[in-house]
Amino acid sequence: MQVVNIHKRIINQPKARVSSLMKTLATKEDKVWPKDRWPAIKFKTGLKIGEKGGHGMIRYSIKGYEEGEYMSFEFLEPEGFNGDHRFEIIALKEEATEVRHSILMKTEGFLATFKWIFVIRWLHDALIENAFDTIENNFLETKKFTTWCYWVRLWRFLLKPSK
């Protein structure tokens, strides 16, 4: 199954300010990832091409990285996820920047397609919107939080790690 999944958010800040946040991804000072609500994203030696890492059940390697412009990741797991995803930072105006996340992949096999359609897509969409909230909240007094639909709440409950 061909998957094209794109999320965009306009941040009313200059590109340089948004870009400076994006380079903190997967660091101790991460100002992008909603790690208070989702499994942290980790890479052993930071954002370097070829570095392997991921979050939760998702694993990938860094395929491309140009600071202030984009970062792309190639899926390693789950099995049957063939393709990549990327973050892009795009200046729209002097005081407006678009942050874009896109997945372009094919699922191979029944299990991978099932996981995408019924589980991962829902969790992914909520995670990315929460990441965009985290980015935007660096510039806002009143914080945003994109609420989760019933399906996301259900999967988070069912997949919660046992203590």
Side-chain angles (χ1 to χ4, degrees):
M1 175 177 112
Q2 182 68 42
V3 174
V4 177
N5 180 285
I6 299 172
H7 292 255
K8 301 175 187 181
R9 176 85 57 98
I10 296 174
I11 310 292
N12 292 316
Q13 294 292 322
K15 182 178 178 180
R17 292 195 74 197
V18 175
S19 295
S20 70
L21 293 179
M22 294 301 290
K23 70 183 178 184
T24 71
L25 182 68
T27 68
K28 289 181 182 179
E29 296 80 32
D30 194 328
K31 293 177 174 31
V32 175
W33 200 258
K35 57 190 173 294
D36 57 328
R37 295 179 179 96
W38 295 92
I41 186 170
K42 296 177 184 175
F43 294 98
K44 285 184 181 176
T45 61
L47 295 173
K48 298 177 184 168
I49 294 175
E51 184 65 28
K52 293 180 181 170
H55 57 90
M57 65 178 97
I58 308 298
R59 294 285 169 257
Y60 34 73
S61 65
I62 299 174
K63 184 175 165 181
Y65 178 59
E66 186 175 332
E67 188 176 305
E69 299 296 325
Y70 77 95
M71 52 190 80
S72 64
F73 310 87
E74 181 174 12
F75 286 105
L76 301 174
E77 290 182 35
E79 188 175 328
F81 279 35
N82 302 313
D84 58 14
H85 69 99
R86 66 190 292 136
F87 278 105
E88 296 172 271
I89 306 120
I90 303 157
L92 300 176
K93 298 179 189 171
E94 190 173 314
E95 294 290 323
T97 303
E98 180 179 278
V99 179
R100 179 183 302 165
H101 181 274
S102 49
I103 290 180
L104 303 171
M105 72 170 181
K106 287 185 178 182
T107 58
E108 183 177 309
F110 173 79
L111 188 57
T113 301
F114 180 89
K115 282 180 184 178
W116 173 256
I117 291 171
F118 293 105
V119 183
I120 295 175
R121 178 190 65 171
W122 296 91
L123 296 171
H124 162 78
D125 289 352
L127 166 64
I128 293 302
E129 291 302 323
N130 289 162
F132 287 173
D133 293 341
T134 302
I135 295 167
E136 197 166 7
N137 285 340
N138 283 280
F139 307 110
L140 300 175
E141 288 183 31
T142 304
K143 305 302 181 197
K144 287 185 174 184
F145 176 75
T146 301
T147 57
W148 300 330
C149 70
Y150 173 78
W151 202 238
V152 170
R153 293 192 310 268
L154 175 66
W155 279 117
R156 285 181 53 94
F157 174 76
L158 293 173
L159 296 171
K160 187 182 338 179
S162 46
K163 294 181 181 180

